């Protein structure tokens, strides 16, 4: 029995030794399989990227609109905004009105400035007269009535494009392939041209939207 037991134990050790020798030989193959699968995982549908490969970067319209110098546009418009805002604040102080008084300045039928707000009619008329006699204010306000709405349109369209990949055909048509011709005035000029060539219904809709500058107004 002791000899039989010894033979059984020797056979078990021999089988275990053979198994141990075969296991290392299988590891290189396993590593090769894992290495072969790695490139597939990088491009798999489950890859958590914001923009899938081939999406909107391949769209020429999206590419050229994303290169718009929006920051420069905002700086240009900000100068007129600051001038108009400070002019109105000085008028409030000049006529001893509360600095938080809400005012709204728009254009009348003849292009003159019209003031609205909860102030006495006599003071409102005086402020309107002062603003219309202030050439600097008239010029800045006239520019704002065109530049600020256009800037809001471009800013919102670009945010939608960057956040959701939604392109805007109107914005794409306003932007030139040559970035040298994409200054703020260039874009505004093309925008005005599109409005003039639009249908009568679209022109009426645009003309009905009058620009107004609000001071101390709460949304």
């Amino acid at each position: 029995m002791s000899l039989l037991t010894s033979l059984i134990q020797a056979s078990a050790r021999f089988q275990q030794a053979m198994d141990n020798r075969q296991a290392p030989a299988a590891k290189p193959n396993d590593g090769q399989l894992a290495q072969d699968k790695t490139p597939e995982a990088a491009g798999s549908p489950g890859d958590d990227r914001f923009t899938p490969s081939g999406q909107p970067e391949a769209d020429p319209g999206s590419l050229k609109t994303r290169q718009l110098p929006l920051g420069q546009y905002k700086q240009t418009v900000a100068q007129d905004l600051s001038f108009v805002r400070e002019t109105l604040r000085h008028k409030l102080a000049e006529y001893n009105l509360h600095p938080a008084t809400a005012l709204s300045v728009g254009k009348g039928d003849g292009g003159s400035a019209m003031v609205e707000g909860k102030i006495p009619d006599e003071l409102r008329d005086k402020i309107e007269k002062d603003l219309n006699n202030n050439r600097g204010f008239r010029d800045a306000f006239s520019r704002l009535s065109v530049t600020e709405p256009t800037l809001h349109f471009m800013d919102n369209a670009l945010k939608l494009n960057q956040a959701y990949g939604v392109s805007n055909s109107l914005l794409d048509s306003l932007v030139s392939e040559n970035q040298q011709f994409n200054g703020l005035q260039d874009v505004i000029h093309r925008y005005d041209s599109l409005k003039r060539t639009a249908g009568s219904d679209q022109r009426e809709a645009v003309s009905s939207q009058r620009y107004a500058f609000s001071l101390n107004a709460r949304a």
Side-chain angles (χ1 to χ4, degrees):
M1 293 296 293
S2 61
L3 179 60
L4 180 59
T5 301
S6 299
L7 290 174
I8 293 174
Q9 293 176 352
S11 177
R13 287 194 297 270
F14 178 79
Q15 183 64 37
Q16 183 178 4
M18 291 299 295
D19 293 341
N20 291 337
R21 290 182 59 185
Q22 292 177 357
K27 290 182 179 179
N29 293 333
D30 294 340
Q32 184 65 31
L33 291 175
Q35 184 177 1
D36 292 342
K37 292 181 179 179
T38 302
E40 297 178 2
S44 62
D47 189 18
D48 189 15
R49 293 179 180 270
F50 178 77
T51 303
S53 176
Q55 296 296 324
E57 287 83 358
D59 183 359
S62 298
L63 287 173
K64 67 180 183 179
T65 54
R66 289 185 180 185
Q67 295 175 359
L68 282 174
L70 197 62
Q72 296 180 11
Y73 297 163
K74 290 182 178 181
Q75 290 179 359
T76 301
V77 176
Q79 296 176 3
D80 286 336
L81 284 171
S82 178
F83 180 81
V84 170
R85 184 181 298 110
E86 291 304 315
T87 300
L88 293 178
R89 286 176 176 172
H90 286 312
K91 287 301 168 186
L92 291 177
E94 179 180 351
Y95 290 103
N96 296 319
L97 294 170
H98 194 281
T101 300
L103 292 179
S104 177
V105 182
K107 278 188 175 182
D109 294 334
S112 59
M114 295 184 61
V115 177
E116 294 183 1
K118 294 182 178 181
I119 57 178
D121 292 341
E122 181 182 356
L123 293 182
R124 185 180 67 247
D125 293 341
K126 289 183 179 180
I127 293 175
E128 282 185 357
K129 183 178 180 180
D130 292 345
L131 296 179
N132 286 313
N133 290 333
N134 186 334
R135 183 171 181 177
F137 179 88
R138 293 201 319 268
D139 292 343
F141 183 78
S142 179
R143 288 191 298 267
L144 279 180
S145 65
V146 179
T147 57
E148 192 176 16
T150 306
L151 181 61
H152 279 309
F153 163 72
M154 290 190 294
D155 192 24
N156 291 333
L158 285 173
K159 287 178 180 178
L160 289 174
N161 179 271
Q162 294 172 358
Y164 305 106
V166 178
S167 61
N168 189 297
S169 58
L170 176 57
L171 179 61
D172 292 342
S173 64
L174 298 178
V175 181
S176 172
E177 296 288 349
N178 190 337
Q179 291 296 321
Q180 293 182 353
F181 302 110
N182 284 332
L184 181 57
Q185 296 303 321
D186 296 326
V187 177
I188 290 175
H189 176 73
R190 287 191 287 269
Y191 185 64
D192 289 339
S193 298
L194 286 176
K195 289 192 296 183
R196 287 194 297 268
T197 58
S200 58
D201 293 340
Q202 292 179 341
R203 286 198 299 268
E204 291 177 1
V206 172
S207 61
S208 64
Q209 298 175 356
R210 296 185 180 275
Y211 174 80
F213 180 90
S214 298
L215 177 72
N216 298 327
R218 295 182 180 179

